[in-house]
Amino acid sequence: MIDHVRDTIDNDRISITPFAGNTDPPPVTATESPSYQMLTKTIREIYPDVIVAPGLVIAATDSRHYVGITARIFRFSPVRANSDDLKRFHGTNERLSIEGYADMIRFYRG
């Protein structure tokens, strides 16, 4: 990533220093892979009213620790959240609804 930024900026007067502990993102898993298809199937079984589509996670997750184990990594959490819930993620009074928690348990048991 640092090399990409340096090449893009192409200005030696600008210093780019990575933060300690930063890592490159894990590889993207193809939506045609059996693992993605299984994840999609499970999501639709537990949450039949949602649209399943790949997205971008813009923060670090524990997935960076699994790169040496598998090339198929998903940054996914089966949380159904509304706009009020999103304000509390990693913040004051962080919590899930009882129904949301029950859905997560059903997903992981599925």
Side-chain angles (χ1 to χ4, degrees):
M1 182 56 113
I2 297 296
D3 290 339
H4 173 74
V5 172
R6 284 188 179 127
D7 291 344
T8 301
I9 294 173
D10 196 25
N11 186 333
D12 294 335
R13 296 177 298 183
I14 298 174
S15 174
I16 301 168
T17 306
F19 288 110
N22 281 4
T23 60
D24 285 327
V28 174
T29 301
T31 56
E32 297 81 20
S33 70
S35 49
Y36 182 88
Q37 295 301 316
M38 178 60 74
L39 180 60
T40 298
K41 179 179 180 282
T42 304
I43 293 168
R44 288 186 175 139
E45 287 173 359
I46 304 302
Y47 306 101
D49 59 326
V50 303
I51 296 171
V52 179
L56 178 65
V57 174
I58 57 171
T61 69
D62 289 342
S63 64
R64 65 186 175 274
H65 301 294
Y66 304 123
V67 173
I69 298 171
T70 181
R72 291 184 175 84
I73 297 173
F74 300 98
R75 298 142 203 89
F76 173 78
S77 180
V79 176
R80 186 183 296 257
N82 62 38
S83 59
D84 288 333
D85 296 325
L86 296 175
K87 296 174 196 171
R88 292 189 303 265
F89 278 6
H90 303 310
T92 304
N93 203 13
E94 181 176 26
R95 66 187 184 277
L96 297 172
S97 68
I98 293 170
E99 297 82 14
Y101 187 57
D103 281 344
M104 288 179 71
I105 292 168
R106 275 195 295 281
F107 178 85
Y108 285 120
R109 287 191 67 204

